[in-house]
């Protein structure tokens, strides 16, 4: 018999928005699984802007909760209620299409492995993993004087 983790409730309203590389982009880590190298987070983009070009080394799933966004490399736009599947190896640049800053783009992402971020020339700039995501969250909490929630399960 396989052992399963117990049910777990995360009150996302109690989690801080953590800066993610720019003044317009934040995330709330909801669940981080260090053993599997996966994580779930809410992504918020407050103004029209770009999340740097990146490659997923494993599949990603996204559910748009509010606002609209698209990838420069694709000819579709994701809007509230949309489900987005990104296969391993997909390379794209997320652009938030925010019309009203009081209604930021919010998308729930389930990331199943590392993300390679690229610079303007296409060179590897940074690799995001479950460990780096957790460190970014705990470092932010420490700097802000916030007790980190137990999101590792």
């Amino acid at each position: 018999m396989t052992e399963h983790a117990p049910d777990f409730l995360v009150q996302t309203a109690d989690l801080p928005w953590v800066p993610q590389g720019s003044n317009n982009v934040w995330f709330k880590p909801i669940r981080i699984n260090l053993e599997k190298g996966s994580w779930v987070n809410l992504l918020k983009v407050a103004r029209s802007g770009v999340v740097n070009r990146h490659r997923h080394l494993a599949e990603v799933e996204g559910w748009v909760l509010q606002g609209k966004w698209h990838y420069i490399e694709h000819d579709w736009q994701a809007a509230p209620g949309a489900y987005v599947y990104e296969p391993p190896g997909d390379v794209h640049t997320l652009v938030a299409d925010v019309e009203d800053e009081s209604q930021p783009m919010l998308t729930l992402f389930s990331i199943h492995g590392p993300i390679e971020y690229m610079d303007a020339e296409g060179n590897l700039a940074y690799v995001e993993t479950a460990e780096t995501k957790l460190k970014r969250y705990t470092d932010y909490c420490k700097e802000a004087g916030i007790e980190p929630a137990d999101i590792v399960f």
Side-chain angles (χ1 to χ4, degrees), residues 11 24 28 34 51 61 74 79 82-83 86 88 99-100 111-112 121 124 138 142:
Q11 297 290 355
N24 296 330
K28 278 190 184 203
L34 296 173
V51 175
E61 299 172 272
H74 300 298
Y83 166 81
E86 302 169 4
E99 297 170 3
D100 177 353
I111 298 116
H112 299 275
E121 289 78 42
L124 181 63
T138 56
K142 183 177 180 180

Side-chain angles (χ1 to χ4, degrees), residues 65-143:
L65 305 174
Q66 179 178 288
K68 298 175 185 174
W69 56 270
H70 71 278
Y71 289 133
I72 292 172
E73 298 80 6
H74 300 298
D75 63 356
W76 48 259
Q77 183 182 57
Y83 166 81
V84 177
Y85 173 78
E86 302 169 4
D90 201 33
V91 177
H92 46 248
T93 310
L94 188 150
V95 178
D97 303 314
V98 178
E99 297 170 3
D100 177 353
E101 290 183 21
S102 70
Q103 295 291 308
M105 181 280 277
L106 296 174
T107 300
L108 177 68
F109 282 105
S110 180
I111 298 116
H112 299 275
I115 302 171
E116 294 180 335
Y117 285 90
M118 293 165 233
D119 65 17
E121 289 78 42
N123 300 311
L124 181 63
Y126 178 74
V127 177
E128 186 84 91
T129 65
E131 292 82 5
T132 62
K133 203 67 163 178
L134 178 61
K135 182 173 180 357
R136 192 184 299 237
Y137 168 64
T138 56
D139 287 353
Y140 177 81
C141 287
K142 183 177 180 180
E143 289 171 16

